Amino acid sequence: MTLPTNRRDPTLEVDMQNEFTSALAVGLATLMDFVPKLLLFLVILIVGLIVAKLISKALAKPLEKVDFDRVVERGGVKKALASSSMDATDIIAKIL
């Protein structure tokens, strides 16, 4: 009867090491593929927010010029907006 030995199979260790480095390389490649996409997403988001803010301001000026708030006051909406920090012009500019 032979006693089992505590020797490790060297090919098993090499295979595990190769699989680990391979998985690490795939993970890093995936991360390096994701980072530029994330940065592009953030740039598009920020540019979109800036453009939306500019459009909102551009629409608010003509509405104030034609005294849109006075027209809304005649329609009775002024009471609904009395407790709000925004006036009708701001709301319409943000919606559009």
Side-chain angles (χ1 to χ4, degrees), residues 1 10 15 19 21-22 34 66-67 70:
M1 174 181 221
D15 286 344
E19 289 209 20
T21 55
S22 155
F34 172 72
V66 296
D67 208 11
R70 190 170 51 101

Side-chain angles (χ1 to χ4, degrees), residues 27-55:
L28 278 172
T30 303
L31 181 67
M32 297 311 279
D33 188 41
F34 172 72
V35 169
K37 292 177 182 178
L38 176 65
L39 292 176
L40 182 62
F41 165 75
L42 291 174
V43 167
I44 291 171
L45 180 67
I46 291 170
V47 168
L49 289 172
I50 292 170
V51 168
K53 190 77 159 174
L54 291 174
I55 291 172

Side-chain angles (χ1 to χ4, degrees), residues 52-62 93:
K53 190 77 159 174
L54 291 174
I55 291 172
S56 174
K57 287 183 180 183
L59 288 176
K61 288 181 182 180

Side-chain angles (χ1 to χ4, degrees), residues 3-10 13:
L3 295 173
T5 60
N6 287 338
R7 287 191 203 173
R8 293 183 177 175
D9 186 10
E13 286 181 17

